Amino acid sequence: MRFTVTGTEATHLGIRLVRAFTGKPVVIRFADNFRGWHDHVSFPATGAAPGIPQGVQDGMLVLPPGDIEAIHAALTTRSDIAAVMVEPTGASLGHAPLPAGFLARLRTLTTAHGALLFFDEVISGFRCSPGGAQQFYGITPDLASLAKIVAGGFSVAALAGKAGILAALDYRKTGAGAIVSPRVMHQGTYNASPVSAAAGIATLKIIRDTGAIARANHTAAALRAGMNAAIARKGINWCIYGEFSDFRIYAGAPGETATVDAIYSGAIPAARLKGGMSAELIQQLRCGLLSEGVDIAGWPGGLTSCTHSDAGVERTVAAFAAALDMMGEEGVL
Ligand SMILES: Cc1ncc(COP(=O)(O)O)c(C=O)c1O
Protein backbone atom coordinates (compact mmCIF):
# COMPACT_ATOMS: atom_id res chain seq x y z
CA MET A 1 0.00 0.00 0.00
CA ARG A 2 1.32 3.43 -0.92
CA PHE A 3 -0.39 6.71 0.03
CA THR A 4 -0.88 9.71 -2.25
CA VAL A 5 -3.04 12.79 -1.85
CA THR A 6 -5.44 12.44 -4.78
CA GLY A 7 -6.84 9.71 -6.97
CA THR A 8 -5.07 11.35 -9.91
CA GLU A 9 -1.71 10.73 -8.24
CA ALA A 10 -2.64 7.14 -7.42
CA THR A 11 -3.47 6.31 -11.06
CA HIS A 12 -0.36 8.18 -12.21
CA LEU A 13 1.87 6.25 -9.83
CA GLY A 14 0.20 2.99 -10.83
CA ILE A 15 0.93 3.59 -14.50
CA ARG A 16 4.59 4.33 -13.73
CA LEU A 17 4.81 1.22 -11.59
CA VAL A 18 3.27 -1.21 -14.09
CA ARG A 19 5.70 0.00 -16.73
CA ALA A 20 8.68 -0.35 -14.39
CA PHE A 21 7.60 -3.79 -13.17
CA THR A 22 6.91 -5.32 -16.58
CA GLY A 23 9.53 -3.40 -18.56
CA LYS A 24 6.82 -2.71 -21.14
CA PRO A 25 5.77 0.81 -22.15
CA VAL A 26 2.07 0.70 -23.07
CA VAL A 27 -1.00 0.76 -20.83
CA ILE A 28 -4.51 0.09 -22.13
CA ARG A 29 -7.35 2.26 -20.86
CA PHE A 30 -10.90 2.93 -22.04
CA ALA A 31 -12.14 6.02 -23.85
CA ASP A 32 -14.61 8.25 -21.98
CA ASN A 33 -13.59 6.83 -18.61
CA PHE A 34 -12.25 9.33 -16.07
CA ARG A 35 -8.96 8.28 -14.44
CA GLY A 36 -7.80 11.70 -13.16
CA TRP A 37 -6.20 14.62 -14.95
CA HIS A 38 -2.52 13.73 -15.44
CA ASP A 39 -1.16 13.51 -18.97
CA HIS A 40 -1.50 9.74 -19.45
CA VAL A 41 -5.26 9.68 -18.92
CA SER A 42 -6.42 13.06 -20.23
CA PHE A 43 -6.69 12.61 -23.98
CA PRO A 44 -9.33 10.94 -26.15
CA ALA A 45 -8.89 7.88 -28.37
CA THR A 46 -8.68 10.15 -31.41
CA GLY A 47 -8.43 13.88 -31.90
CA ALA A 48 -6.65 16.72 -30.21
CA ALA A 49 -4.69 16.34 -26.99
CA PRO A 50 -3.58 19.92 -26.27
CA GLY A 51 -0.53 20.13 -24.01
CA ILE A 52 0.13 16.39 -23.96
CA PRO A 53 3.36 15.29 -25.70
CA GLN A 54 3.08 12.66 -28.44
CA GLY A 55 5.45 10.39 -26.52
CA VAL A 56 3.02 10.26 -23.60
CA GLN A 57 0.12 9.51 -25.94
CA ASP A 58 2.13 6.70 -27.54
CA GLY A 59 2.40 5.08 -24.13
CA MET A 60 -1.36 4.60 -23.80
CA LEU A 61 -3.68 2.52 -25.97
CA VAL A 62 -7.19 3.96 -25.68
CA LEU A 63 -9.84 1.36 -26.57
CA PRO A 64 -13.66 1.41 -26.69
CA PRO A 65 -15.15 0.81 -23.20
CA GLY A 66 -15.81 -2.83 -22.36
CA ASP A 67 -14.52 -4.15 -25.69
CA ILE A 68 -12.93 -7.42 -24.62
CA GLU A 69 -12.20 -8.44 -28.22
CA ALA A 70 -10.17 -5.26 -28.79
CA ILE A 71 -8.16 -6.03 -25.64
CA HIS A 72 -7.72 -9.63 -26.75
CA ALA A 73 -6.46 -8.46 -30.14
CA ALA A 74 -3.99 -6.01 -28.58
CA LEU A 75 -2.65 -8.59 -26.14
CA THR A 76 -2.21 -11.26 -28.80
CA THR A 77 -0.66 -9.08 -31.50
CA ARG A 78 1.60 -6.84 -29.42
CA SER A 79 4.34 -7.53 -26.91
CA ASP A 80 4.51 -4.04 -25.39
CA ILE A 81 1.40 -4.03 -23.16
CA ALA A 82 2.27 -3.55 -19.49
CA ALA A 83 -1.26 -3.45 -18.06
CA VAL A 84 -4.95 -2.98 -18.63
CA MET A 85 -6.53 -0.29 -16.51
CA VAL A 86 -10.25 -0.50 -15.85
CA GLU A 87 -12.91 0.71 -13.44
CA PRO A 88 -14.38 -2.67 -12.41
CA THR A 89 -17.94 -1.37 -12.16
CA GLY A 90 -17.78 0.28 -15.59
CA ALA A 91 -17.26 4.03 -16.02
CA SER A 92 -18.14 6.30 -13.10
CA LEU A 93 -19.28 3.57 -10.70
CA GLY A 94 -21.40 1.81 -13.27
CA HIS A 95 -22.91 4.76 -15.10
CA ALA A 96 -22.04 2.69 -18.18
CA PRO A 97 -21.87 -0.91 -16.89
CA LEU A 98 -19.42 -3.47 -18.29
CA PRO A 99 -20.75 -6.54 -20.14
CA ALA A 100 -21.48 -9.62 -18.02
CA GLY A 101 -18.40 -11.81 -17.60
CA PHE A 102 -16.05 -9.04 -18.76
CA LEU A 103 -13.90 -8.89 -15.61
CA ALA A 104 -13.39 -12.64 -15.36
CA ARG A 105 -12.35 -12.81 -19.00
CA LEU A 106 -10.05 -9.82 -18.57
CA ARG A 107 -8.38 -11.44 -15.56
CA THR A 108 -7.75 -14.60 -17.56
CA LEU A 109 -6.49 -12.73 -20.62
CA THR A 110 -4.11 -10.43 -18.76
CA THR A 111 -2.62 -13.33 -16.78
CA ALA A 112 -2.21 -15.41 -19.93
CA HIS A 113 -0.39 -12.60 -21.76
CA GLY A 114 1.81 -11.35 -18.93
CA ALA A 115 0.03 -8.03 -18.54
CA LEU A 116 -1.00 -6.62 -15.17
CA LEU A 117 -4.62 -5.91 -14.26
CA PHE A 118 -5.01 -2.47 -12.70
CA PHE A 119 -8.41 -1.64 -11.17
CA ASP A 120 -9.27 2.01 -10.69
CA GLU A 121 -11.31 1.80 -7.49
CA VAL A 122 -11.19 5.52 -6.70
CA ILE A 123 -15.00 5.56 -6.40
CA SER A 124 -15.84 1.89 -5.92
CA GLY A 125 -13.29 1.20 -3.16
CA PHE A 126 -15.16 0.82 0.15
CA ARG A 127 -18.43 1.70 -1.61
CA CYS A 128 -19.42 -1.49 -3.47
CA SER A 129 -18.46 -3.53 -0.42
CA PRO A 130 -15.93 -3.16 2.42
CA GLY A 131 -13.42 -4.82 0.08
CA GLY A 132 -14.42 -2.69 -2.91
CA ALA A 133 -15.60 -3.86 -6.32
CA GLN A 134 -12.87 -6.52 -6.38
CA GLN A 135 -14.45 -8.22 -3.37
CA PHE A 136 -17.97 -7.76 -4.73
CA TYR A 137 -17.13 -9.30 -8.12
CA GLY A 138 -14.59 -11.80 -6.73
CA ILE A 139 -11.85 -10.75 -9.14
CA THR A 140 -8.46 -9.79 -7.69
CA PRO A 141 -6.40 -7.29 -9.69
CA ASP A 142 -2.63 -6.84 -9.46
CA LEU A 143 -2.95 -3.16 -8.50
CA ALA A 144 -5.78 -0.89 -7.38
CA SER A 145 -6.09 2.86 -6.95
CA LEU A 146 -8.25 4.05 -4.03
CA ALA A 147 -9.43 7.50 -2.96
CA LYS A 148 -12.57 9.34 -1.77
CA ILE A 149 -14.00 6.99 0.91
CA VAL A 150 -10.56 5.73 1.96
CA ALA A 151 -10.31 8.64 4.41
CA GLY A 152 -13.94 9.71 4.63
CA GLY A 153 -13.46 12.56 2.19
CA PHE A 154 -10.12 13.82 3.54
CA SER A 155 -7.48 14.38 0.88
CA VAL A 156 -5.77 11.04 0.82
CA ALA A 157 -5.65 8.31 -1.78
CA ALA A 158 -3.74 5.08 -2.12
CA LEU A 159 -2.25 2.58 -4.47
CA ALA A 160 -2.72 -0.98 -3.23
CA GLY A 161 -1.24 -4.01 -4.89
CA LYS A 162 0.81 -7.15 -4.82
CA ALA A 163 3.89 -6.82 -2.62
CA GLY A 164 6.27 -7.80 -5.41
CA ILE A 165 5.05 -4.93 -7.56
CA LEU A 166 4.97 -2.28 -4.84
CA ALA A 167 8.46 -3.31 -3.71
CA ALA A 168 9.85 -1.18 -6.53
CA LEU A 169 8.90 1.84 -4.37
CA ASP A 170 10.93 0.71 -1.34
CA TYR A 171 14.35 1.81 -0.17
CA ARG A 172 16.59 -1.27 0.07
CA LYS A 173 19.64 -2.29 2.03
CA THR A 174 22.48 -3.96 0.16
CA GLY A 175 24.39 -6.89 1.64
CA ALA A 176 27.07 -4.37 2.64
CA GLY A 177 24.46 -2.38 4.57
CA ALA A 178 24.26 0.58 2.17
CA ILE A 179 20.81 2.12 1.57
CA VAL A 180 19.76 2.05 -2.09
CA SER A 181 17.09 4.36 -3.51
CA PRO A 182 13.82 2.85 -4.80
CA ARG A 183 13.73 1.81 -8.45
CA VAL A 184 10.57 3.91 -8.87
CA MET A 185 10.50 7.32 -7.24
CA HIS A 186 7.48 8.67 -5.39
CA GLN A 187 8.18 11.62 -3.13
CA GLY A 188 5.65 14.19 -1.92
CA THR A 189 5.26 16.49 1.06
CA TYR A 190 1.69 15.46 1.82
CA ASN A 191 1.86 11.74 1.05
CA ALA A 192 0.52 9.86 4.09
CA SER A 193 0.19 13.09 6.08
CA PRO A 194 -0.63 12.36 9.74
CA VAL A 195 -4.00 14.17 9.76
CA SER A 196 -5.23 12.39 6.64
CA ALA A 197 -3.88 9.09 7.92
CA ALA A 198 -5.82 9.53 11.17
CA ALA A 199 -8.97 10.27 9.16
CA GLY A 200 -8.29 7.17 7.09
CA ILE A 201 -7.91 4.93 10.13
CA ALA A 202 -11.11 6.31 11.67
CA THR A 203 -13.06 5.83 8.43
CA LEU A 204 -11.84 2.31 7.79
CA LYS A 205 -12.70 1.28 11.36
CA ILE A 206 -16.27 2.47 10.78
CA ILE A 207 -16.42 0.50 7.54
CA ARG A 208 -15.00 -2.62 9.18
CA ASP A 209 -17.01 -2.47 12.40
CA THR A 210 -20.43 -1.23 11.29
CA GLY A 211 -22.87 -2.07 8.55
CA ALA A 212 -22.31 1.32 6.91
CA ILE A 213 -21.75 -0.01 3.38
CA ALA A 214 -24.65 -2.45 3.51
CA ARG A 215 -26.90 0.30 4.89
CA ALA A 216 -25.97 2.75 2.10
CA ASN A 217 -26.47 0.03 -0.54
CA HIS A 218 -29.85 -0.91 0.96
CA THR A 219 -30.98 2.73 0.96
CA ALA A 220 -30.09 3.15 -2.71
CA ALA A 221 -31.90 -0.08 -3.63
CA ALA A 222 -35.04 1.20 -1.85
CA LEU A 223 -34.73 4.53 -3.64
CA ARG A 224 -34.34 2.87 -7.05
CA ALA A 225 -37.36 0.61 -6.41
CA GLY A 226 -39.54 3.54 -5.30
CA MET A 227 -38.51 5.74 -8.21
CA ASN A 228 -39.03 2.92 -10.74
CA ALA A 229 -42.51 2.36 -9.29
CA ALA A 230 -43.27 6.08 -9.79
CA ILE A 231 -42.05 5.78 -13.40
CA ALA A 232 -44.28 2.73 -13.98
CA ARG A 233 -47.30 4.59 -12.57
CA LYS A 234 -46.57 7.47 -14.91
CA GLY A 235 -46.17 5.08 -17.87
CA ILE A 236 -43.06 6.74 -19.26
CA ASN A 237 -40.03 5.13 -20.91
CA TRP A 238 -37.58 6.01 -18.12
CA CYS A 239 -35.56 3.80 -15.84
CA ILE A 240 -33.63 4.10 -12.60
CA TYR A 241 -30.58 1.86 -12.38
CA GLY A 242 -27.50 1.30 -10.24
CA GLU A 243 -25.92 -1.60 -8.37
CA PHE A 244 -24.53 -0.10 -5.20
CA SER A 245 -25.14 3.04 -3.13
CA ASP A 246 -26.09 4.95 -6.27
CA PHE A 247 -29.02 5.70 -8.52
CA ARG A 248 -28.96 6.86 -12.13
CA ILE A 249 -31.87 8.26 -14.08
CA TYR A 250 -32.15 7.27 -17.71
CA ALA A 251 -34.75 8.54 -20.18
CA GLY A 252 -35.20 6.12 -23.07
CA ALA A 253 -35.13 7.35 -26.65
CA PRO A 254 -38.27 6.84 -28.79
CA GLY A 255 -38.52 3.17 -29.77
CA GLU A 256 -35.92 2.12 -27.19
CA THR A 257 -36.76 -0.12 -24.22
CA ALA A 258 -35.39 1.64 -21.17
CA THR A 259 -35.35 -1.05 -18.50
CA VAL A 260 -32.82 -2.20 -15.93
CA ASP A 261 -32.49 -5.50 -17.82
CA ALA A 262 -31.83 -3.71 -21.12
CA ILE A 263 -29.13 -1.60 -19.49
CA TYR A 264 -27.32 -4.51 -17.81
CA SER A 265 -27.58 -6.72 -20.88
CA GLY A 266 -25.65 -4.08 -22.84
CA ALA A 267 -28.57 -3.25 -25.17
CA ILE A 268 -28.13 0.48 -24.56
CA PRO A 269 -24.75 1.90 -25.68
CA ALA A 270 -22.45 3.52 -23.09
CA ALA A 271 -22.59 6.86 -24.93
CA ARG A 272 -26.40 6.94 -24.56
CA LEU A 273 -26.23 6.06 -20.86
CA LYS A 274 -23.66 8.78 -20.18
CA GLY A 275 -25.15 11.48 -22.36
CA GLY A 276 -28.61 10.38 -23.40
CA MET A 277 -30.65 12.86 -21.41
CA SER A 278 -30.63 16.45 -22.64
CA ALA A 279 -29.37 19.18 -20.33
CA GLU A 280 -32.77 20.84 -20.65
CA LEU A 281 -34.66 17.75 -19.49
CA ILE A 282 -32.28 17.26 -16.58
CA GLN A 283 -32.76 20.90 -15.59
CA GLN A 284 -36.55 20.54 -15.71
CA LEU A 285 -36.40 17.43 -13.53
CA ARG A 286 -34.07 19.12 -11.05
CA CYS A 287 -36.31 22.20 -10.86
CA GLY A 288 -39.31 19.97 -10.13
CA LEU A 289 -37.38 18.13 -7.42
CA LEU A 290 -36.02 21.35 -5.93
CA SER A 291 -39.53 22.74 -5.61
CA GLU A 292 -40.18 19.68 -3.41
CA GLY A 293 -37.00 20.30 -1.39
CA VAL A 294 -34.87 17.57 -3.00
CA ASP A 295 -31.77 18.01 -5.16
CA ILE A 296 -29.85 15.44 -7.17
CA ALA A 297 -26.57 15.38 -9.06
CA GLY A 298 -26.63 16.47 -12.67
CA TRP A 299 -25.52 13.08 -14.21
CA PRO A 300 -28.53 12.80 -13.38
CA GLY A 301 -28.71 10.68 -10.23
CA GLY A 302 -27.05 10.51 -6.84
CA LEU A 303 -25.14 8.59 -4.20
CA THR A 304 -26.48 7.45 -0.86
CA SER A 305 -24.57 7.30 2.39
CA CYS A 306 -25.12 5.34 5.59
CA THR A 307 -26.73 8.40 7.17
CA HIS A 308 -29.64 8.57 4.73
CA SER A 309 -32.83 7.38 6.41
CA ASP A 310 -35.94 5.47 5.32
CA ALA A 311 -37.86 8.74 5.78
CA GLY A 312 -35.42 10.42 3.40
CA VAL A 313 -36.06 7.70 0.82
CA GLU A 314 -39.83 8.18 1.10
CA ARG A 315 -39.50 11.93 0.78
CA THR A 316 -37.23 11.63 -2.27
CA VAL A 317 -39.53 9.16 -4.00
CA ALA A 318 -42.55 11.40 -3.32
CA ALA A 319 -40.64 14.42 -4.67
CA PHE A 320 -39.67 12.46 -7.78
CA ALA A 321 -43.28 11.42 -8.41
CA ALA A 322 -44.40 15.05 -7.94
CA ALA A 323 -41.68 16.29 -10.31
CA LEU A 324 -42.82 13.81 -12.97
CA ASP A 325 -46.40 15.05 -12.51
CA MET A 326 -45.25 18.65 -12.95
CA MET A 327 -43.27 17.76 -16.06
CA GLY A 328 -46.31 15.90 -17.43
CA GLU A 329 -48.56 18.92 -16.80
CA GLU A 330 -46.09 21.16 -18.59
CA GLY A 331 -46.02 18.80 -21.57
CA VAL A 332 -42.32 17.97 -21.16
CA LEU A 333 -42.86 14.21 -20.85
C1 LIG B 1 -12.61 6.52 -11.32
C2 LIG B 1 -11.80 7.73 -10.96
N1 LIG B 1 -10.46 7.67 -11.08
C3 LIG B 1 -9.68 8.72 -10.74
C4 LIG B 1 -10.23 9.88 -10.26
C5 LIG B 1 -9.34 11.03 -9.90
O1 LIG B 1 -9.37 11.21 -8.50
P1 LIG B 1 -9.08 12.65 -7.87
O2 LIG B 1 -10.24 13.53 -8.23
O3 LIG B 1 -8.98 12.39 -6.40
O4 LIG B 1 -7.81 13.15 -8.44
C6 LIG B 1 -11.62 9.98 -10.12
C7 LIG B 1 -12.26 11.20 -9.60
O5 LIG B 1 -13.44 11.35 -9.52
C8 LIG B 1 -12.43 8.88 -10.48
O6 LIG B 1 -13.76 8.92 -10.37
Side-chain angles (χ1 to χ4, degrees):
M1 177 75 86
R2 188 84 189 186
F3 291 100
T4 64
V5 182
T6 64
T8 293
E9 292 164 76
T11 61
H12 194 177
L13 181 62
I15 288 172
R16 183 182 295 171
L17 208 50
V18 295
R19 289 178 173 145
F21 183 78
T22 60
K24 297 175 183 174
V26 177
V27 175
I28 292 178
R29 65 174 169 85
F30 289 158
D32 304 320
N33 276 232
F34 187 63
R35 303 272 158 267
W37 64 266
H38 57 80
D39 283 1
H40 308 271
V41 294
S42 302
F43 57 91
T46 54
I52 300 180
Q54 188 59 48
V56 171
Q57 296 177 52
D58 293 343
M60 301 297 296
L61 179 59
V62 186
L63 296 179
D67 189 341
I68 197 76
E69 296 312 329
I71 296 174
H72 182 235
L75 289 173
T76 46
T77 56
R78 303 173 56 144
S79 56
D80 59 354
I81 309 290
V84 181
M85 211 180 170
V86 63
E87 199 174 342
T89 51
S92 309
L93 191 72
H95 200 156
L98 290 167
F102 174 89
L103 291 179
R105 188 137 180 242
L106 184 60
R107 179 67 280 184
T108 307
L109 272 179
T110 45
T111 305
H113 292 277
L116 299 177
L117 181 57
F118 181 3
F119 277 1
D120 183 359
E121 291 229 47
V122 162
I123 312 180
S124 59
F126 310 105
R127 183 173 284 281
C128 298
S129 78
Q134 52 193 277
Q135 182 185 44
F136 181 85
Y137 294 118
I139 305 285
T140 307
D142 300 297
L143 273 187
S145 45
L146 301 161
K148 302 189 191 283
I149 292 180
V150 74
F154 270 72
S155 42
V156 63
L159 186 69
K162 295 189 172 157
I165 302 171
L166 288 171
L169 295 161
D170 292 341
Y171 282 85
R172 285 174 298 119
K173 235 182 186 174
T174 64
I179 303 292
V180 181
S181 293
R183 281 207 308 123
V184 173
M185 297 308 290
H186 172 237
Q187 303 96 330
T189 307
Y190 295 110
N191 293 340
S193 86
V195 173
S196 299
I201 290 166
T203 305
L204 298 185
K205 277 186 181 160
I206 292 170
I207 287 170
R208 185 193 62 193
D209 298 339
T210 74
I213 303 300
R215 164 99 204 136
N217 284 345
H218 167 84
T219 302
L223 205 48
R224 292 193 298 265
M227 292 168 82
N228 273 326
I231 286 171
R233 279 195 301 276
K234 202 80 200 145
I236 54 174
N237 189 27
W238 284 29
C239 167
I240 309 296
Y241 69 102
E243 253 189 304
F244 306 103
S245 43
D246 60 325
F247 66 97
R248 313 192 179 256
I249 304 170
Y250 180 67
E256 186 183 60
T257 308
T259 60
V260 171
D261 284 350
I263 289 168
Y264 287 102
S265 71
I268 302 179
R272 285 268 319 138
L273 292 173
K274 286 197 93 174
M277 228 165 140
S278 74
E280 199 184 2
L281 193 61
I282 294 170
Q283 181 64 8
Q284 281 154 340
L285 173 64
R286 285 183 87 176
C287 286
L289 285 166
L290 277 171
S291 70
E292 297 291 314
V294 169
D295 196 13
I296 56 168
W299 324 319
L303 297 171
T304 55
S305 86
C306 58
T307 61
H308 286 120
S309 62
D310 293 346
V313 170
E314 272 174 39
R315 191 172 160 208
T316 305
V317 170
F320 181 66
L324 293 183
D325 284 344
M326 282 179 229
M327 292 169 81
E329 277 161 30
E330 292 192 3
V332 175
L333 292 180

Coordinates of all heavy atoms in Angstrom, one line a residue, residues 5-11 33-37 41 85 87 90-93 120-124 145-148 156-157, ligand 1:
V5 N -2.1 11.8 -2.3 CA -3.0 12.8 -1.8 C -4.3 12.7 -2.6 O -5.4 12.9 -2.1 CB -2.4 14.2 -1.9 CG1 -3.4 15.2 -1.3 CG2 -1.1 14.2 -1.1
T6 N -4.2 12.5 -3.9 CA -5.4 12.4 -4.8 C -5.5 11.1 -5.6 O -4.5 10.5 -5.8 CB -5.4 13.6 -5.8 OG1 -4.3 13.4 -6.7 CG2 -5.3 15.0 -5.1
G7 N -6.7 10.9 -6.1 CA -6.8 9.7 -7.0 C -6.0 9.9 -8.2 O -5.5 8.9 -8.8
T8 N -5.9 11.1 -8.7 CA -5.1 11.3 -9.9 C -3.6 10.9 -9.7 O -3.1 10.2 -10.5 CB -5.1 12.9 -10.2 OG1 -6.4 13.2 -10.6 CG2 -4.1 13.2 -11.3
E9 N -3.1 11.2 -8.5 CA -1.7 10.7 -8.2 C -1.6 9.2 -8.1 O -0.6 8.6 -8.5 CB -1.2 11.4 -6.9 CG -1.0 12.9 -7.0 CD -0.9 13.5 -5.6 OE1 0.2 13.3 -5.0 OE2 -1.9 14.1 -5.2
A10 N -2.7 8.6 -7.6 CA -2.6 7.1 -7.4 C -2.7 6.4 -8.8 O -1.9 5.5 -9.0 CB -3.8 6.7 -6.6
T11 N -3.5 7.0 -9.7 CA -3.5 6.3 -11.1 C -2.2 6.6 -11.8 O -1.6 5.8 -12.5 CB -4.7 6.7 -11.9 OG1 -4.7 8.2 -12.1 CG2 -6.0 6.4 -11.3
N33 N -13.6 7.3 -20.0 CA -13.6 6.8 -18.6 C -12.6 7.8 -17.9 O -11.5 7.9 -18.2 CB -13.0 5.4 -18.5 CG -14.1 4.3 -18.8 OD1 -14.2 3.4 -18.0 ND2 -14.8 4.4 -19.9
F34 N -13.1 8.4 -16.8 CA -12.2 9.3 -16.1 C -11.3 8.6 -15.1 O -11.7 7.8 -14.3 CB -13.1 10.3 -15.3 CG -12.4 11.4 -14.6 CD1 -11.7 12.3 -15.4 CD2 -12.3 11.5 -13.2 CE1 -11.0 13.4 -14.8 CE2 -11.6 12.6 -12.6 CZ -10.9 13.5 -13.4
R35 N -10.0 8.9 -15.3 CA -9.0 8.3 -14.4 C -8.1 9.3 -13.7 O -7.0 9.1 -13.3 CB -8.0 7.4 -15.3 CG -8.7 6.3 -16.1 CD -8.8 5.0 -15.3 NE -9.9 4.2 -15.8 CZ -11.2 4.3 -15.4 NH1 -11.5 5.0 -14.4 NH2 -12.1 3.5 -16.0
G36 N -8.6 10.6 -13.7 CA -7.8 11.7 -13.2 C -7.4 12.6 -14.3 O -7.9 12.5 -15.4
W37 N -6.5 13.6 -13.9 CA -6.2 14.6 -15.0 C -4.7 14.7 -15.4 O -4.3 15.5 -16.1 CB -6.6 16.0 -14.5 CG -5.9 16.5 -13.2 CD1 -6.3 16.3 -11.9 CD2 -4.7 17.2 -13.2 NE1 -5.4 16.9 -11.1 CE2 -4.4 17.4 -11.8 CE3 -3.8 17.6 -14.2 CZ2 -3.2 18.1 -11.4 CZ3 -2.6 18.3 -13.7 CH2 -2.4 18.5 -12.4
V41 N -3.8 10.1 -18.9 CA -5.3 9.7 -18.9 C -6.2 10.8 -19.4 O -7.4 10.7 -19.3 CB -5.7 9.2 -17.5 CG1 -5.0 7.9 -17.1 CG2 -5.5 10.3 -16.4
M85 N -6.0 -1.1 -17.6 CA -6.5 -0.3 -16.5 C -8.0 -0.2 -16.7 O -8.5 0.2 -17.8 CB -5.9 1.1 -16.7 CG -5.7 1.9 -15.5 SD -5.0 3.4 -16.1 CE -5.1 4.3 -14.5
E87 N -12.1 0.5 -14.6 CA -12.9 0.7 -13.4 C -13.8 -0.5 -13.4 O -14.6 -0.7 -14.3 CB -13.7 2.0 -13.6 CG -14.3 2.6 -12.3 CD -14.9 3.9 -12.6 OE1 -14.7 4.6 -13.6 OE2 -15.7 4.3 -11.7
G90 N -17.4 -0.5 -14.4 CA -17.8 0.3 -15.6 C -17.7 1.7 -15.2 O -17.6 2.1 -14.0
A91 N -17.6 2.6 -16.2 CA -17.3 4.0 -16.0 C -18.1 4.7 -14.9 O -19.3 4.4 -14.9 CB -17.4 4.8 -17.3
S92 N -17.5 5.5 -14.1 CA -18.1 6.3 -13.1 C -19.1 5.5 -12.2 O -20.3 5.8 -12.1 CB -18.9 7.5 -13.8 OG -18.1 8.2 -14.6
L93 N -18.5 4.4 -11.6 CA -19.3 3.6 -10.7 C -20.5 3.0 -11.4 O -21.6 2.9 -10.9 CB -19.7 4.3 -9.4 CG -20.3 3.4 -8.3 CD1 -19.2 2.6 -7.6 CD2 -21.0 4.2 -7.3
D120 N -9.1 0.7 -11.3 CA -9.3 2.0 -10.7 C -10.5 2.0 -9.8 O -11.6 2.0 -10.2 CB -9.5 3.0 -11.8 CG -9.5 4.5 -11.3 OD1 -9.5 4.6 -10.0 OD2 -9.7 5.4 -12.1
E121 N -10.2 1.9 -8.5 CA -11.3 1.8 -7.5 C -11.4 3.1 -6.7 O -11.8 3.1 -5.5 CB -11.1 0.6 -6.5 CG -11.2 -0.7 -7.2 CD -12.1 -1.7 -6.4 OE1 -13.2 -1.3 -6.0 OE2 -11.7 -2.8 -6.2
V122 N -11.1 4.2 -7.4 CA -11.2 5.5 -6.7 C -12.6 5.8 -6.2 O -12.8 6.3 -5.0 CB -10.7 6.6 -7.7 CG1 -11.2 8.0 -7.2 CG2 -9.2 6.6 -7.8
I123 N -13.6 5.4 -6.9 CA -15.0 5.6 -6.4 C -15.5 4.3 -5.7 O -16.1 4.3 -4.7 CB -16.0 5.9 -7.5 CG1 -15.6 7.0 -8.4 CG2 -17.4 6.3 -6.9 CD1 -16.6 7.4 -9.5
S124 N -15.2 3.1 -6.4 CA -15.8 1.9 -5.9 C -15.2 1.3 -4.7 O -15.9 0.6 -3.9 CB -15.8 0.8 -7.0 OG -14.4 0.6 -7.4
S145 N -6.1 1.5 -7.5 CA -6.1 2.9 -6.9 C -7.3 3.1 -6.1 O -8.4 2.7 -6.5 CB -6.0 3.9 -8.1 OG -6.9 3.6 -9.1
L146 N -7.2 3.8 -5.0 CA -8.3 4.0 -4.0 C -8.2 5.5 -3.7 O -7.2 6.1 -3.6 CB -8.1 3.2 -2.7 CG -8.0 1.7 -2.9 CD1 -7.4 1.1 -1.7 CD2 -9.4 1.1 -3.1
A147 N -9.4 6.1 -3.4 CA -9.4 7.5 -3.0 C -10.8 7.7 -2.3 O -11.4 6.8 -1.9 CB -9.2 8.5 -4.1
K148 N -11.2 9.0 -2.3 CA -12.6 9.3 -1.8 C -12.9 8.7 -0.4 O -12.5 9.2 0.6 CB -13.6 9.0 -2.8 CG -13.4 9.7 -4.2 CD -14.5 9.6 -5.1 CE -14.2 10.1 -6.5 NZ -14.2 11.5 -6.7
V156 N -6.8 12.1 0.9 CA -5.8 11.0 0.8 C -6.3 10.0 -0.2 O -7.5 9.8 -0.3 CB -5.5 10.4 2.2 CG1 -6.7 9.8 2.8 CG2 -4.4 9.4 2.2
A157 N -5.3 9.4 -0.8 CA -5.6 8.3 -1.8 C -4.6 7.3 -1.6 O -3.6 7.5 -0.9 CB -5.7 8.9 -3.2
Ligands
LIG1 C1 -12.6 6.5 -11.3 C2 -11.8 7.7 -11.0 N1 -10.5 7.7 -11.1 C3 -9.7 8.7 -10.7 C4 -10.2 9.9 -10.3 C5 -9.3 11.0 -9.9 O1 -9.4 11.2 -8.5 P1 -9.1 12.6 -7.9 O2 -10.2 13.5 -8.2 O3 -9.0 12.4 -6.4 O4 -7.8 13.1 -8.4 C6 -11.6 10.0 -10.1 C7 -12.3 11.2 -9.6 O5 -13.4 11.3 -9.5 C8 -12.4 8.9 -10.5 O6 -13.8 8.9 -10.4

